[in-house]
Amino acid sequence: MRRPDWLIPAGAAAALLLSAAPALAQPGMPPPGPPPDAQGGPPTPAEQSDRLRQSLRLRPDQEGALQAFIAAMQPRPGEIDALRAEAAHDASLPTPQRLDATISRLDRMRAEVLARIDATRAFYAKLTPEQQRVFDHMPSPDR
């Protein structure tokens, strides 16, 4: 079975994000975190916030940084459908144009990953040294 053209760049972006920000949502993928709840769904942003709030023992003055961080990690609405539609369109293009479309998609994904990395750095900077150590040792969602 042939893999969709968008899967390889999405996988590369996901791998970069997973290595940079543990327990965070990535573009084109469900938000990672603790195992899905009893209904089998991924954790909600509120559940992710609660997990970080409890694990890091955040203070009330760090709440704004947490909310900005969680918001930056959420995939855009309709992102997966848009990638699928783009891949379907690109499949009909001649190879040189399809390659150009892939480069364009990679550039957009890189910008999204860099924005999430910046959000992670901003959140991390608001943590105390002890909270940073806890954050550093939080398991990645792929383990």
Side-chain angles (χ1 to χ4, degrees), residues 45-129:
E47 290 168 336
Q48 290 175 323
S49 295
D50 288 343
R51 178 174 176 235
L52 286 171
R53 198 176 289 112
Q54 291 169 7
S55 297
L56 299 173
R57 298 181 182 170
L58 295 177
R59 300 181 317 255
D61 65 309
Q62 294 171 311
E63 186 65 25
L66 172 65
Q67 293 308 315
F69 173 69
I70 293 295
M73 295 302 125
Q74 299 309 306
R76 293 180 320 240
E79 184 172 8
I80 292 173
D81 291 337
L83 284 172
R84 285 185 182 136
E86 188 176 5
H89 172 265
D90 292 354
S92 67
L93 297 174
T95 298
Q97 291 173 330
R98 190 171 54 241
L99 294 172
D100 290 342
T102 299
I103 291 169
S104 175
R105 190 169 36 258
L106 284 171
D107 289 343
R108 286 192 319 270
M109 293 174 84
R110 183 177 191 276
E112 291 171 8
V113 169
L114 289 174
R116 286 177 169 93
I117 288 171
D118 288 344
T120 302
R121 286 184 173 148
F123 176 64
Y124 192 85
K126 298 292 184 180
L127 300 176
T128 66

